[in-house]
Amino acid sequence: MIRAAAGLLVAAVTLALPAVLDDSALAVYILLGLAAMVTVGVSLLMGYAGQVSLGQGAFYAIGAYTAALLSLHGVPPLAGLVAAPVAAAGSALVIGVPLLRLRGHHLAFATLAVQLILLSLAGQLEITGGDIGLQAIPQFAIGSFEAGSAAAYAYMTWAGLALVMLVTRNVIDSRPGRALRALATSETAAASSGIPVGRYKLVVFALSAAFAGLAGGIYCFYTGYVAPGSFPVLISIQYIVMAVVGGLGTIWGAVVGAAAITLLVQGLNSLAAVPGMPSSAPSVLSYAVYALVLILVVLFLPHGLLPALSGRLSRKRDASPVETR
């Protein structure tokens, strides 16, 4: 009952905010939703499948470039948006076959290398616009409806996030979801129980990439511009930090972590814009704060913000005195 009421309250606030926020705040709201979409996939990949990826920004870029290229060549925007997660998932399946043979930090560095290679190619290929990127991407439209306002993209973003969360919840509650939890605990034990470890790792890798691709597709229509500089390596690290801060292996934890880090980054950007700050201030502050936040969370909230908050509320409820007659 309490969870249902909390869910309804969150939904009501989510739907009400685009009507009251100005364009500057709406931009942050949209970026927050897009980050949460990718972070849900990261939490699924790391928290349930036990796989570490530092290359989610690559699939975010693949989704954005796919939707942008199709739209610029006359394909309806809806078809471009649908193709974005499909292209990202397909790319993950192709590169996942060799990469997922690796484990731990070897896999993390390999996925990071994928993003670096992708950004290098995007900066050199003529079809992707080189370093200049793709400009004048058409607005998202379905029939006569055109998303010409930031509020429309905010609703679109959060509808996408709701879809991603629903799919993730269904996966977790299914039989494959239970197999994923076993896989995260011990691949050897999971394999001895008859679980096809390699296949499950590949499927969840592709699913998390599809989430990133969907976010990238929405991003390209919202900004109307994509370039290699839109997808720096730091963005992949940011998604990992969001997932860890919010709580790995939790759906709502990914949203909480995305909100906390996005708002923190906006605050840092405002601080870096203060007159007298050096030009390197934004990147230096970002890396320093990410490191500090990770250290503090690992030391004091090892399971993340949401599990810690839920655990504290449960302890208070259990410790409350029982009413006697």
Side-chain angles (χ1 to χ4, degrees):
M1 185 66 180
I2 296 177
R3 289 185 177 182
L8 290 174
L9 178 61
V10 170
V13 172
T14 300
L15 293 174
L17 279 177
V20 299
L21 296 177
D22 58 25
D23 286 346
S24 177
L26 269 176
V28 177
Y29 190 60
I30 293 169
L31 293 177
L32 192 160
L34 295 175
M37 210 179 300
V38 184
T39 307
V40 169
V42 173
S43 185
L44 176 66
L45 182 64
M46 293 181 61
Y48 285 93
Q51 307 302 308
V52 182
S53 172
L54 288 177
Q56 293 304 104
F59 302 119
Y60 188 49
I62 288 172
Y65 273 105
T66 298
L69 285 168
L70 290 176
S71 298
L72 288 171
H73 286 81
V75 176
L78 179 59
L81 183 61
V82 172
V86 174
S91 301
L93 288 174
V94 172
I95 67 174
V97 172
L99 289 190
L100 292 178
R101 297 177 183 273
L102 305 174
R103 297 183 182 182
H105 63 277
H106 295 98
L107 176 60
F109 289 141
T111 53
L112 179 61
V114 169
Q115 182 172 353
L116 293 173
I117 293 170
L118 177 68
L119 293 177
S120 178
L121 290 174
Q124 297 179 24
L125 295 177
E126 183 179 350
I127 190 174
T128 57
D131 289 329
I132 298 175
L134 301 175
Q135 305 178 39
I137 300 170
Q139 295 281 351
F140 181 80
I142 302 177
S144 59
F145 168 77
E146 182 176 290
S149 66
Y153 282 104
Y155 287 122
M156 184 176 167
T157 297
W158 287 83
L161 176 59
L163 175 62
V164 164
M165 294 174 70
L166 178 62
V167 170
T168 304
R169 170 54 60 192
N170 288 335
V171 169
I172 291 172
D173 291 340
S174 66
R175 183 176 179 180
R178 294 190 293 273
L180 285 176
R181 287 192 287 273
L183 190 155
T185 302
S186 172
E187 289 188 14
T188 303
S192 65
S193 301
I195 296 173
V197 172
R199 187 189 311 165
Y200 274 46
K201 287 166 62 176
L202 187 60
V203 169
V204 75
F205 187 59
L207 183 60
S208 67
F211 294 163
L214 177 60
I218 297 174
Y219 172 82
C220 88
F221 288 118
Y222 170 59
T223 60
Y225 168 78
V226 292
S230 304
F231 314 100
V233 173
L234 181 61
I235 199 171
S236 292
I237 299 173
Q238 183 173 301
Y239 296 140
I240 299 293
V241 175
M242 289 175 177
V244 172
V245 168
L248 281 175
T250 62
I251 299 175
W252 281 104
V255 180
V256 170
I261 297 301
T262 299
L263 295 176
L264 178 62
V265 168
Q266 293 302 316
L268 291 174
N269 289 339
S270 299
L271 178 61
V274 172
M277 294 291 284
S279 59
S280 60
S283 59
V284 171
L285 285 175
S286 295
Y287 281 113
V289 171
Y290 286 162
L292 180 61
V293 167
L294 275 177
I295 291 172
L296 292 176
V297 168
V298 170
L299 287 178
F300 301 106
L301 300 171
H303 298 293
L305 288 175
L306 190 63
L309 179 60
S310 300
R312 179 167 295 183
L313 292 176
S314 298
R315 286 193 296 271
K316 284 186 177 181
R317 187 167 56 250
D318 296 339
S320 60
V322 179
E323 183 178 352
T324 57
R325 295 183 179 180

